[in-house]
């Protein structure tokens, strides 16, 4: 059995799965339930200055029949009395001494920071997470992302905290910034022990078409919220990678953003996270999802021969390069597995209208054919194909050559005209523009669709 | 033991004849529409005789534009709601859905279609209307799928339309013939009311056109005449004893059933003669009416039946027993039916022959003959110059519907010899355009 336990910047936890600071960690009741279900740690719902919340707080992005592929909220930090929260932290720590309880904090003045750090320390918190991320409400009062977006202010506040903190300090970063490594560096300079990212992304998840107002609607009005859930994972992964690859940051990273199953967690870990935090998925499905996450992670580790989480952390980083370092001699070409093809012709229309006109239809069959000379190997067809492993991208170069853009630049060999072997123009046949309305017209609205659209004649195939 | 107990109330009838394709709710429609791949040059469209732009309307449902979906459907097929429920989708659109090739359940196109159309029918939303009056008038004989579809299309082209219908209700066999577990009378008639409100044609019920004089009047008064008369009564078998009480034609039996529902009595032991879809329907219906024993007797082998496989499965599923390679020779009984005398047959090189001396009597108290519908040749002979083919079908141009008497046009069962509702609806729409082209010359 692989060992799932972690030591994250000095914070020990039986597994890398923590609840992010959010509604699921609002109370001792919830955190105890979560630990009982199998979660390794919890970052308490942010403690700080008194706030009030509005009613109607969340908005969702649905994709077809899938609910909450994206989620947004306009909630503030904890609106429960600080003393209750501290008492409950203490109670949880007593019952679960080996689980990680991290106090998320957000206040304003140096004195307030000192006080709240000391209070949560006394309550038994295993560490602190400084919330410099909340992109709505709190930032209007000079906290949250307003801090995260100003590396200097961030550094100053972290320094205040470090003056009194006796437990590890994690700085939670906001993604609402051009270069995530700048606030990360500021945290490092201030002596923080770790960083966590991402907090939510400023967003409007949708507009009510009848009320002409953004979701969530509060008495006919709305405001920008913070975006999270499965849709933000790609943004989070990239930012985690940026921080993990930065030569000077060198801090443990707690990966957050769009984690819903073991795969998402492993992706964060392979890009440099050594613990992961989850919010939306728990708000959607409850604490029970932890069982699938741990079992999936374990299975993966067994299959790959990893014994500890540490062995996996950052494993994919050496393969994330700059574009200029990619091998330009590598070539893949789409290949349709005829036996699997169900003839939906999505690949055809995708390539025809959205890519490189490299797929054709033949009379008497619905299975499309790849025009190899035209295929640039963009993957689009294989991405739209609804059948598993039906379109595969096969390597067609001989694998012996390796040339990068950087090498060409250094050798003074970058193209100066479009006739380059790899540049768009050569080898790639494109029909005349007017053919779209002429002999290739049947390719736009096929068969009956055009007649149904009011035309009387089906355009004939060339 | 009967599969079903005899229904004695409306509610019991509705239970025994529960809808095979109940109308979806919004959630189900959302889930199902989400599965559609939006195929290019979609095979489902090609397989629909009325060429409904299926991926388009499914996408409209998926994006919450149910009204637009209904419009897409009705633009191609005026019987959009009925078709979604009664079409043999297994061999049409759904049979062509690409999911079949992956052994995944095809998209429930029919039910999605009825979902969208039911919504506008219920709300009465105005989506269509008559075109500007062009001063010309067309008479439509028959208010079945063909006649009503022609009326709608002609109205949208600006014609004045009078429909003459022998029966008391519109939609033809949709309300007098199709099995009650496919569509309810209320659903059928609601769509008819919706169409009439949208297009505003006149329907004269209980107005059979049956004499030369009546036809002459129409010829004088109207610029063109559309024949949507369908087929006629069940063919006679020409067997001794056929006139016995409780020996009935399938079409007549089903028409009674559709109109009087649980008040229709069925025998305890029923023999249905035939191997087509109507035979399957009549057998299923007898069983659902509480008959204890329903036998489907067919002259040839099981594999040779004309019925769709899923229709036979449906009948088997409600306890109908198949009896193959038996030909009826006599209906026995004394006043009332008491049995059918059969002779066994064998099929050799595609030919059926009777096996001498193999007669036997299968007892029963009701016989339903599902041996095809006769053509209305007698009525059609009243139309000067109208030509029929060897099978009694009206000869008409496939694109314009024009018959050999240029003033007369025809579509539906009377022209195609008996197909589905969707064929009649699609053909009639085309024919209405043919009439328009002819009268615009
Ligand atoms: C038992 C049975 C089950 C069926 N089940 C299905 C099914 O499940 N799905 C499906 O799609 N199709 C089914 N069909 C076929 C479908 O009902 C027909 O193909 C379709 O109704 C044909 O439409 P039509 O307008 O041509 O004829 P009809 O529906 O027959 O309509 C003709 C109309 O014309 C009227 N009429 C006839 N002569 C005159 C006259 N001289 N004057 C005035 N009016 C006249 C008739 O009363 C009738 O209302 C079934 C048919 C039968 C018999
Ligand atoms: C309703 C809601 C409230 C949140 N409140 C806080 C908070 O108080 N403090 C904080 O640091 N992050 C807060 N977050 C951000 C989450 O901790 C987390 O960073 C973000 O949701 C991304 O993770 P996910 O994709 O798993 O949801 C909140 C998120 C949500 C949805
Ligand atoms: S997308 Fe896939 S299944 Fe569809 S036609 Fe192309 S290869 Fe076949
Ligand atoms: S990989 Fe891109 S270019 Fe090649 S066939 Fe597929 S879609 Fe077209
Ligand atoms: S064939 Fe099936 S999946 Fe494709 S468009 Fe038609 S209903 Fe949708």
């Amino acid at each position: 059995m692989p060992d799932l336990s972690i030591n994250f910047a000095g914070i020990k936890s039986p597994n890398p799965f923590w609840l992010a600071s959010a509604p699921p960690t609002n109370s001792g009741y919830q955190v105890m339930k979560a630990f009982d279900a199998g979660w390794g740690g919890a970052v308490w719902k942010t403690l700080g200055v008194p706030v009030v919340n509005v009613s109607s707080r969340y908005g969702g992005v649905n994709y077809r029949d899938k609910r909450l592929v994206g989620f947004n909220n306009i909630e503030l930090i904890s609106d429960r009395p600080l003393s209750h929260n501290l008492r409950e932290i203490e109670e949880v720590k007593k019952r679960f001494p080996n689980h990680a309880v991290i106090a998320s904090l957000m206040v304003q003045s140096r004195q307030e920071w000192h006080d709240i750090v000391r209070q949560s320390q006394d309550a038994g918190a295993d560490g602190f997470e400084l919330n410099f991320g909340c992109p709505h409400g709190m930032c209007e009062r000079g906290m949250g992302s307003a801090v995260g977006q100003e590396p200097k202010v961030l550094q100053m506040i972290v320094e205040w905290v470090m003056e009194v903190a006796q437990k590890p300090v994690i700085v939670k970063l906001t993604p609402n910034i051009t270069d995530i490594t700048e606030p990360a560096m500021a945290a490092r300079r201030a002596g923080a022990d770790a960083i966590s990212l991402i907090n939510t992304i400023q967003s409007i998840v949708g507009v009510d078409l009848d009320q002409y107002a953004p979701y969530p609607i509060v008495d006919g009005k709305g405001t920008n919220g913070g975006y999270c859930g499965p849709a933000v994972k790609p943004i989070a992964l990239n930012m985690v990678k940026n921080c993990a690859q930065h030569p000077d940051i060198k801090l443990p990273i707690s990966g957050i953003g769009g984690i819903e199953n073991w795969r998402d967690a492993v992706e964060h870990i392979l890009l440099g996270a050594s613990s992961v935090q989850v919010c939306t998925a728990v708000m959607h499905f409850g604490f029970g999802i932890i069982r699938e996450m741990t079992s999936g992670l374990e299975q993966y580790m067994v299959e790959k021969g990893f014994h500890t989480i540490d062995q996996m952390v950052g494993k994919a980083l050496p393969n994330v390069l700059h574009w200029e370092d990619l091998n330009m001699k590598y070539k893949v070409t789409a290949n349709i597995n005829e036996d699997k093809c169900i003839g939906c012709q999505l690949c055809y229309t995708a390539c025809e209208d959205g890519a490189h006109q490299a797929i054709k239809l033949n009379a008497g069959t619905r299975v499309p054919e790849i025009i190899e000379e035209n295929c640039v190997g963009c993957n689009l067809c294989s991405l739209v194909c609804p059948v598993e492993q039906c379109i595969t991208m096969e390597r067609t170069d001989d694998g012996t050559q390796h040339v990068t853009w950087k090498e060409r630049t250094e050798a003074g060999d970058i193209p100066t005209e479009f006739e380059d072997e790899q540049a768009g123009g050569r080898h790639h046949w494109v029909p005349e523009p007017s053919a779209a309305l002429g002999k290739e017209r049947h390719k736009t609205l096929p068969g009956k669709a055009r007649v149904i659209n009011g035309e009387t004649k089906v355009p004939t195939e060339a | 033991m009967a599969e079903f107990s005899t229904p004695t109330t409306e509610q019991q009838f509705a239970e025994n004849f529960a809808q095979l394709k109940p109308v979806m709710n919004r959630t189900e429609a959302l889930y199902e529409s989400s599965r559609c791949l939006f195929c290019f040059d979609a095979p489902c469209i090609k397989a629909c005789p009325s060429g409904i732009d299926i991926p388009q309307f499914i996408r409209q449902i998926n994006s919450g534009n149910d009204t637009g979906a209904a419009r897409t459907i009705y633009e191609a097929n005026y019987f959009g709601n009925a078709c979604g429920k009664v079409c043999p989708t297994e061999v049409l659109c759904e049979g062509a859905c690409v999911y079949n090739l992956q052994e995944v359940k095809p998209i429930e196109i029919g039910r999605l279609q009825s979902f969208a159309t039911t919504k506008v029918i219920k709300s009465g939303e105005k989506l269509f209307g008559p075109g500007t009056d062009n001063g010309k008038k067309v008479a439509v004989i028959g208010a079945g799928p063909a006649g009503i579809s022609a009326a709608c299309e002609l109205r949208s082209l600006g014609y004045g339309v009078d429909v003459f219908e022998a029966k008391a209700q519109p939609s033809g066999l949709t309300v007098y013939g199709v099995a009650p577990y496919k569509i309810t009378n209320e659903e059928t008639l609601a769509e008819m009311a919706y169409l009439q409100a949208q297009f505003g044609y006149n329907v004269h019920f209980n107005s059979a056109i049956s004499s030369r004089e009546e036809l002459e009047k129409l010829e004088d008064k109207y610029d063109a005449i559309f024949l949507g008369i369908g087929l006629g009564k069940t063919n006679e078998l020409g067997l001794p004893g056929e006139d016995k009480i409780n020996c009935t034609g399938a079409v007549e039996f089903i028409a009674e059933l559709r109109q009087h529902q649980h008040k229709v009595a069925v025998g305890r032991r029923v023999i249905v003669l035939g191997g087509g879809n109507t035979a399957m329907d009549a057998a299923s219906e007898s069983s659902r009416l509480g008959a204890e024993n329903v036998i489907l007797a067919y002259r040839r082998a099981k594999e040779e039946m004309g019925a769709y496989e899923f229709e036979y499965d449906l009948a088997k599923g409600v306890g109908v027993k198949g009896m193959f390679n038996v030909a009826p020779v006599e209906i026995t009984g004394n006043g009332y039916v008491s049995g059918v005398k059969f002779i066994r047959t064998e099929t050799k090189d595609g030919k059926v022959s009777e096996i001498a001396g193999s007669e036997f009597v299968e007892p029963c108290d009701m016989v339903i003959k599902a041996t095809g519908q006769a053509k209305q040749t007698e009525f059609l002979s009243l139309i000067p110059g109208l030509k029929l083919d060897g099978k009694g079908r009206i000869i008409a141009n496939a694109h314009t519907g024009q018959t050999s008497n240029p003033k007369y046009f025809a579509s539906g069962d009377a022209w195609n010899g008996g197909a589905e509702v969707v064929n009649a609806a699609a053909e009639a729409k085309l024919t209405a355009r043919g009439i328009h082209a002819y009268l615009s010359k």
Side-chain angles (χ1 to χ4, degrees):
Chain A
M1 263 302 169
D3 177 9
L4 296 193
S5 72
I6 56 164
N7 181 341
F8 181 86
I11 303 172
K12 290 192 182 130
S13 162
N15 64 46
F17 298 108
W18 295 354
L19 292 170
S21 171
T25 59
N26 219 3
S27 63
Y29 170 77
Q30 288 162 290
V31 174
M32 284 211 202
K33 268 180 98 170
F35 288 171
D36 189 37
W39 290 86
V43 185
W44 212 271
K45 172 74 186 170
T46 305
L47 313 175
V49 293
V51 296
V52 278
N53 273 305
V54 291
S55 182
S56 177
R57 305 177 187 178
Y58 306 147
V61 173
N62 300 339
Y63 179 74
R64 294 191 170 189
D65 58 342
K66 294 289 169 289
R67 299 204 150 251
L68 296 195
V69 296
F71 184 60
N72 115 334
N73 81 91
I74 56 170
E75 230 169 63
L76 306 181
I77 60 176
S78 178
D79 52 13
R80 301 181 63 224
L82 180 62
S83 58
H84 294 197
N85 279 311
L86 294 171
R87 196 184 62 229
E88 290 174 16
I89 289 178
E90 210 175 323
E91 208 178 320
V92 171
K93 267 319 288 186
K94 269 199 201 114
R95 299 268 189 133
F96 293 91
N98 300 322
H99 284 62
V101 175
I102 294 135
S104 170
L105 308 174
M106 183 200 287
V107 285
Q108 255 172 319
S109 69
R110 180 165 177 225
Q111 189 56 50
E112 282 173 328
W113 278 106
H114 280 181
D115 291 346
I116 203 162
V117 167
R118 285 202 184 96
Q119 284 168 311
S120 23
Q121 216 152 243
D122 292 345
D126 298 301
F128 312 101
E129 188 180 77
L130 314 187
N131 179 351
F132 298 145
C134 182
H136 48 266
M138 300 313 292
C139 54
E140 293 168 19
R141 289 163 62 177
M143 290 175 271
S145 64
V147 175
Q149 287 164 342
E150 289 298 335
K152 283 207 186 92
V153 181
L154 182 145
Q155 187 175 338
M156 180 181 73
I157 296 178
V158 177
E159 281 165 359
W160 293 345
V161 170
M162 299 317 291
E163 289 164 7
V164 291
Q166 287 159 11
K167 290 282 163 84
V169 174
I170 308 167
V171 175
K172 185 167 180 180
L173 304 178
T174 174
N176 299 296
I177 188 162
T178 317
D179 182 357
I180 192 76
T181 63
E182 285 183 20
M185 274 306 294
R188 158 113 215 154
R189 282 194 299 273
D193 300 285
I195 50 175
S196 58
L197 63 155
I198 58 175
N199 208 309
T200 56
I201 306 172
Q202 255 191 4
S203 62
I204 286 182
V205 279
V207 177
D208 187 291
L209 301 189
D210 301 312
Q211 297 188 56
Y212 309 111
Y215 296 122
I217 299 174
V218 181
D219 195 14
K221 315 284 179 206
T223 183
N224 68 270
Y227 197 42
C228 51
V232 309
K233 184 181 79 176
I235 296 159
L237 288 177
N238 184 50
M239 291 187 165
V240 166
K241 175 270 294 179
N242 285 346
C243 291
Q245 278 189 335
H246 195 284
D248 301 322
I249 295 176
K250 290 184 287 193
L251 288 175
I253 300 170
S254 186
I256 320 171
I259 297 171
E260 170 167 315
N261 58 36
W262 68 272
R263 272 178 183 281
D264 304 322
V266 169
E267 288 173 325
H268 269 268
I269 293 170
L270 295 178
L271 287 175
S274 41
S275 84
V276 293
Q277 300 186 27
V278 178
C279 165
T280 305
V282 166
M283 292 184 72
H284 194 166
F285 302 109
F287 296 127
I289 59 169
I290 188 62
R291 291 172 303 143
E292 179 276 333
M293 297 177 102
T294 38
S295 89
L297 176 63
E298 258 169 19
Q299 180 65 25
Y300 176 77
M301 290 174 74
V302 168
E303 276 167 22
K304 295 288 170 190
F306 294 121
H307 301 292
T308 64
I309 301 291
D310 271 347
Q311 292 173 334
M312 304 161 61
V313 174
K315 192 87 181 155
L317 288 172
N319 294 328
V320 189
L321 305 179
H322 289 127
W323 188 91
E324 62 174 10
D325 293 320
L326 299 176
N327 181 9
M328 313 195 82
K329 289 291 179 190
Y330 177 75
K331 170 96 167 88
V332 288
T333 305
N335 177 61
I336 297 177
N337 183 338
E338 288 186 27
D339 298 335
K340 290 191 172 170
C341 173
I342 58 172
C344 68
Q345 299 184 351
L346 285 175
C347 58
Y348 166 76
T349 198
C351 188
E352 174 69 21
D353 292 0
H356 298 92
Q357 300 79 44
I359 303 184
K360 69 173 177 178
L361 300 178
N362 294 316
T365 171
R366 282 201 56 95
V367 182
E369 186 190 335
I370 306 288
I371 307 167
E372 284 189 22
E373 316 79 275
N374 273 11
C375 175
V376 302
C378 73
N379 291 354
L380 180 63
C381 54
S382 69
L383 298 176
V384 301
C385 178
V387 183
E388 285 287 305
Q389 289 297 310
C390 172
I391 299 187
T392 48
M393 302 303 296
E394 307 289 353
R395 185 165 190 172
T396 46
D397 69 314
D398 61 11
T400 59
Q401 284 168 296
H402 188 282
V403 176
T404 68
W405 180 263
K406 197 189 209 165
E407 286 160 0
R408 285 186 67 168
T409 312
E410 283 161 1
D413 178 34
I414 51 173
T416 50
E417 33 113 314
F418 285 100
E419 285 303 291
D420 187 80
E421 192 65 30
Q422 296 276 334
R426 210 150 145 203
H427 300 312
H428 185 201
W429 170 85
V430 174
E432 284 300 309
S434 62
L437 307 176
K439 77 182 184 46
E440 307 291 347
R441 188 141 184 263
H442 60 281
K443 293 183 173 173
T444 305
L445 276 182
K448 284 182 173 176
R450 189 175 286 281
V451 179
I452 290 157
N453 260 28
E455 293 191 18
T456 44
K457 266 173 54 191
V458 181
T460 46
E461 298 201 13
Chain B
M1 216 5 234
E3 293 280 323
F4 292 90
S5 55
T6 308
T8 55
T9 64
E10 225 168 277
Q11 199 199 331
Q12 283 170 2
F13 182 85
E15 279 165 19
N16 284 12
F17 289 81
Q19 294 300 297
L20 293 180
K21 295 185 182 175
V23 180
M24 286 179 170
N25 60 35
R26 176 77 209 152
T27 304
E28 196 177 4
L30 175 68
Y31 276 56
E32 191 61 5
S33 61
S34 294
R35 291 205 305 130
C36 175
L37 298 169
F38 200 61
C39 298
F40 179 80
D41 197 12
C44 53
I45 310 184
K46 294 188 182 171
C48 170
S50 62
I52 296 175
D53 194 341
I54 294 160
Q56 165 80 355
F57 89 70
I58 294 182
R59 215 174 161 80
Q60 288 171 309
I61 291 175
N62 197 250
S63 65
N65 183 5
D66 298 342
T67 308
R71 185 192 291 278
T72 301
I73 294 159
Y74 278 126
E75 273 168 359
N77 180 341
Y78 293 115
F79 274 61
N81 191 258
C83 281
K85 300 208 74 185
V86 312
C87 269
T89 51
E90 292 86 339
V91 296
L92 298 174
C93 55
E94 292 174 20
C97 177
V98 295
Y99 273 119
N100 292 297
L101 291 165
Q102 224 184 335
E103 267 130 52
V104 172
K105 190 169 81 75
I107 302 292
E108 290 193 62
I109 301 169
R111 291 184 65 212
L112 283 168
Q113 187 174 313
S114 301
F115 164 77
T117 46
T118 298
K119 239 177 136 173
V120 296
I121 291 171
K122 284 216 169 115
S123 72
E125 194 160 350
K126 186 93 181 145
L127 294 184
F128 302 95
T132 2
D133 190 356
N134 64 19
K136 297 192 178 113
K137 294 181 78 176
V138 179
V140 171
I141 306 181
I148 295 295
S149 299
C152 293
E153 187 76 358
L154 287 165
R155 284 294 290 150
S156 75
L157 292 166
Y159 292 85
V161 178
D162 285 308
V163 184
F164 299 90
E165 167 57 51
K167 298 212 156 130
Q169 289 180 321
S171 84
L173 287 172
T174 322
V175 77
Y176 291 105
V178 174
Y181 41 80
K182 293 193 182 158
I183 192 166
T184 66
N185 294 11
E186 293 72 31
E187 287 167 329
T188 314
L189 297 175
E191 183 167 51
M192 293 304 102
Y194 178 73
L195 292 177
Q196 194 172 5
Q198 299 277 311
F199 293 100
Y201 42 80
N202 307 307
V203 192
H204 308 274
F205 291 109
N206 305 309
S207 307
I209 305 294
S210 45
S211 65
R212 180 63 211 140
E213 294 72 56
E214 284 166 314
L215 284 170
E216 247 160 47
K217 271 195 212 148
L218 297 184
E219 286 162 13
D220 287 345
K221 197 170 156 198
Y222 297 92
D223 299 283
I225 298 164
F226 177 90
L227 296 168
I229 58 170
L231 303 172
K233 295 202 179 88
T234 301
N235 285 318
E236 294 287 309
L237 284 173
L239 297 180
E242 211 174 331
D243 54 355
K244 292 208 176 3
I245 299 169
N246 263 7
C247 173
T248 173
V251 186
E252 292 73 17
F253 167 71
I254 297 169
E256 275 296 296
L257 173 72
R258 284 299 295 269
Q259 296 312 297
H260 304 295
Q261 306 199 329
H262 55 277
K263 297 185 190 104
V264 171
V266 74
R268 295 286 85 199
R269 291 179 67 86
V270 180
I271 295 180
V272 178
L273 303 173
N277 290 321
T278 301
M280 304 304 134
D281 282 1
S284 283
E285 287 155 353
S286 303
S287 182
R288 288 169 199 261
L289 277 176
E292 273 158 27
N293 198 324
V294 181
I295 294 173
L296 187 90
Y298 182 52
R299 303 177 63 223
R300 294 168 172 260
K302 184 156 88 185
E303 306 70 48
E304 294 175 275
M305 286 199 299
Y308 298 125
E309 212 175 307
F310 65 85
E311 294 283 10
Y312 179 52
D313 287 344
L314 208 59
K316 275 194 302 191
V318 292
V320 171
K321 286 181 215 90
M323 210 162 97
F324 300 98
N325 282 108
V326 291
V329 288
E330 186 190 337
I331 314 292
T332 62
N334 187 1
Y336 281 89
V337 165
S338 70
V340 178
K341 183 191 260 182
F342 288 104
I343 184 161
R344 295 195 191 279
T345 67
E346 56 187 350
T347 320
K348 266 198 199 134
D349 307 325
K351 285 205 165 167
V352 235
S353 53
E354 294 174 353
I355 304 171
S358 68
E359 291 91 343
F360 65 98
V361 173
E362 183 70 33
C364 69
D365 54 10
M366 183 172 194
V367 175
I368 301 177
K369 301 174 288 178
T371 42
Q373 286 174 271
K375 307 290 183 312
Q376 305 217 48
T377 45
E378 203 174 314
F379 167 69
L380 292 171
S381 70
L382 300 174
I383 302 169
L386 188 83
K387 284 194 189 136
L388 307 182
D389 71 4
K391 291 179 172 163
R393 296 177 296 199
I394 301 172
I395 297 177
N397 181 301
H399 301 291
T400 64
Q402 194 163 34
T403 68
S404 48
N405 178 332
K407 197 159 192 165
Y408 284 86
F409 293 75
S411 297
D413 281 1
W415 174 72
N416 63 33
E420 314 290 342
V421 171
V422 63
N423 301 90
E427 291 160 13
K429 189 174 163 76
L430 211 60
T431 294
R433 302 222 155 233
I435 294 174
H436 182 52
Y438 171 67
L439 295 179
S440 311
K441 266 190 201 147

